């Protein structure tokens, strides 16, 4: 019996029409991807249904694209593990960052049955956490969505970013090399759609920084960015006000309470993240040229092309 989170009727319709999912063929598609993994001597990957089906959905059931994205996912996590491979969600610094409330899932998806909303506010002092820890938390949060949230898995994610507290000290941590790593991870490895990115409350530092950061994004993502400054009348036409947290005049949960509720998810999936230590790639065993995520972050070797962003 297949073991993954069942979709409600509306989500299943979206999966069928937009992602190319055919429920009668899911077992066959998963078997094909799992069989390929087992024939790759360099690759030790998760093979559970919930994990693998998201790579098929994220690649609109193109088996070849799913293979590529999954392979790059583990190769990059192996070579850039300090940023992308979280194994201990009980680490004190990790939980301390969670309790800043910087990144939270909001309980009601956009338009009630649409993308999952991730709310970000730069709610910490730059000197309190390393950029590596912040990145680990960000990528772990997305991995958590990938294995637990049908709305994110099918409809993708809509981001709301409150940048009112972003300072020059935060900005100085975002080196070009770091930005390249982040963009490459989200563009080439994460099997979920970026539906939209809404920026509110730009600080002077954030206003300058957003021009640099967003220029690193692929064109398809840049077209989905909406910057409204401090005028909530403008943003309401893009994301209705009720989908904002209560602290922002909306009806989508209290951020203080959501910190506690979201924290339970780290408890629930702690063993999953512990298991991350067992997976990755050994490039010396790869057929053909090795993949290399070197200091210049240009992915070299192998035969993979840059994947399209859906």
């Amino acid at each position: 019996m297949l073991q993954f989170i069942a979709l409600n009727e509306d989500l299943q319709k979206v999966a069928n029409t937009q992602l190319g999912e055919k429920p009668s063929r899911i077992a066959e598609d998963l078997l094909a991807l799992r069989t390929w993994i087992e024939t790759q001597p360099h690759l030790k990957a998760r093979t559970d249904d919930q994990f693998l089906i998201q790579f098929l959905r994220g690649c609109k059931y193109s088996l070849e694209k799913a293979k590529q994205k999954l392979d790059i996912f583990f190769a990059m996590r192996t070579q850039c593990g300090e940023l992308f491979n979280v194994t201990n969600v009980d680490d004190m610094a990790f939980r301390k960052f969670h309790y800043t409330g910087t990144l939270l899932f909001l309980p009601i998806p956009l338009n009630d049955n649409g993308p999952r909303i991730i709310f970000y506010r730069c709610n910490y002092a730059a000197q309190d956490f390393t950029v590596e820890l912040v990145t680990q938390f960000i990528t772990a949060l997305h991995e958590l969505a990938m294995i637990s949230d049908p709305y994110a898995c099918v409809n993708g994610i809509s981001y709301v970013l409150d940048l009112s507290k972003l300072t020059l000290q935060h900005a100085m941590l975002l080196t070009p090399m770091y930005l390249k790593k982040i963009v490459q991870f989200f563009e080439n490895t994460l099997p979920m759609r970026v539906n939209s990115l809404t920026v509110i409350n730009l600080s002077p530092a954030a206003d300058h920084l957003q021009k640099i950061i967003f220029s690193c994004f692929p064109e398809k993502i840049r077209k989905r960015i909406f910057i409204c400054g401090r005028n909530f009348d403008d943003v309401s036409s893009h994301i209705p006000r009720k989908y904002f947290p209560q602290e922002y005049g909306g009806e989508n949960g209290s951020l203080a309470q959501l910190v506690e509720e979201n924290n339970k998810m780290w408890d629930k999936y702690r063993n999953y993240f512990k298991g991350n230590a067992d997976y990755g790639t050994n490039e010396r065993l790869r057929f053909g040229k090795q993949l290399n995520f070197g200091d210049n972050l240009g992915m070299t070797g192998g035969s993979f092309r840059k994947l399209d962003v859906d």
Side-chain angles (χ1 to χ4, degrees):
M1 179 179 290
L2 297 176
Q3 296 185 350
F4 55 83
I5 300 171
L7 304 179
N8 65 35
E9 183 178 354
D10 290 336
L11 285 177
Q12 189 63 65
K13 287 180 181 178
V14 175
N16 296 349
T17 59
Q18 297 187 20
L19 306 183
E21 184 162 295
K22 297 180 180 179
S24 62
R25 285 195 50 179
I26 289 176
E28 180 183 343
D29 292 331
L30 286 172
L31 178 61
L33 185 54
R34 188 178 292 111
T35 300
W36 173 82
I37 291 171
E38 293 170 352
T39 64
Q40 305 305 304
H42 71 284
L43 177 61
K44 189 172 183 183
R46 292 181 180 275
T47 56
D48 56 280
D49 294 338
Q50 182 64 55
F51 184 81
L52 292 186
I53 196 173
Q54 191 51 38
F55 281 87
L56 292 169
R57 287 171 173 164
C59 295
K60 296 185 177 180
Y61 278 82
S62 165
L63 182 59
E64 291 308 309
K65 286 186 177 181
K67 292 176 184 177
Q68 292 176 9
K69 189 174 278 278
L70 186 145
D71 200 352
I72 298 171
F73 178 91
F74 285 104
M76 194 169 188
R77 288 197 354 174
T78 298
Q79 296 181 39
C80 305
E82 75 283 0
L83 294 177
F84 306 126
N85 194 26
V86 176
T87 59
N88 182 14
V89 297
D90 291 320
D91 176 80
M92 289 183 61
F94 186 93
R95 291 293 179 119
K96 183 179 178 181
F97 185 78
H98 169 81
Y99 271 101
T100 66
T102 294
L103 273 154
L104 294 167
F105 297 122
L106 300 189
I108 305 173
L110 184 61
N111 301 322
D112 296 343
N113 201 47
R116 176 63 62 194
I117 302 171
I118 292 182
F119 195 87
Y120 171 89
R121 48 186 176 155
C122 195
N123 211 33
Y124 63 97
Q127 68 271 16
D128 288 349
F129 300 96
T130 66
V131 70
E132 289 82 9
L133 177 69
V134 174
T135 306
Q136 283 191 359
F137 188 90
I138 292 170
T139 54
L141 190 80
H142 285 77
E143 190 170 359
L144 185 61
M146 193 176 87
I147 61 173
S148 67
D149 186 353
Y151 292 98
C153 291
V154 173
N155 286 323
I157 295 172
S158 287
Y159 302 88
V160 177
L161 281 64
D162 178 353
L163 300 184
S164 58
K165 296 182 180 179
L166 190 141
T167 67
L168 287 175
Q169 287 71 34
H170 292 103
M172 289 173 63
L173 299 175
L174 304 179
T175 65
M177 191 65 63
Y178 168 83
L179 290 174
K180 286 182 181 180
K181 287 184 180 182
I182 293 298
V183 170
Q184 192 171 82
F185 182 83
F186 279 89
E187 184 179 2
N188 288 330
T189 74
L190 194 70
M192 290 187 295
R193 291 185 288 176
V194 176
N195 188 277
S196 66
L197 196 157
T198 302
V199 181
I200 61 174
N201 297 333
L202 282 173
S203 70
D207 190 29
H208 175 72
L209 186 62
Q210 58 92 8
K211 299 172 185 176
I212 300 173
I213 294 177
F214 295 155
S215 67
C216 298
F217 291 179
E219 178 64 21
K220 286 185 178 181
I221 299 300
R222 292 201 298 269
K223 290 180 179 179
R224 301 172 193 177
I225 297 172
F226 179 79
I227 299 174
C228 75
R230 297 179 181 275
N231 190 336
F232 272 86
D233 291 336
D234 291 341
V235 78
S236 294
S237 63
H238 191 67
I239 295 182
R241 190 66 172 270
K242 73 174 185 176
Y243 294 105
F244 279 76
Q246 293 173 12
E247 290 86 342
Y248 291 74
E251 304 170 12
N252 208 354
S254 162
L255 293 174
Q257 294 177 0
L258 291 174
V259 166
E260 296 296 337
E261 293 174 14
N262 283 202
N263 193 53
K264 295 175 184 177
M265 294 296 289
W266 298 122
D267 295 338
K268 181 177 179 179
Y269 286 93
R270 61 162 52 93
N271 288 332
Y272 169 91
F273 284 98
K274 284 181 181 179
N276 279 347
D278 297 330
Y279 303 102
T281 63
N282 183 341
E283 294 302 320
R284 292 175 296 178
L285 300 179
R286 181 185 291 276
F287 294 132
K289 294 182 179 179
Q290 299 178 8
L291 291 185
N292 178 31
F293 298 89
D295 291 338
N296 63 359
L297 260 290
M299 186 177 68
T300 60
S303 59
F304 293 138
R305 295 171 294 177
K306 183 177 178 181
L307 294 176
D308 292 332
V309 179
D310 292 327

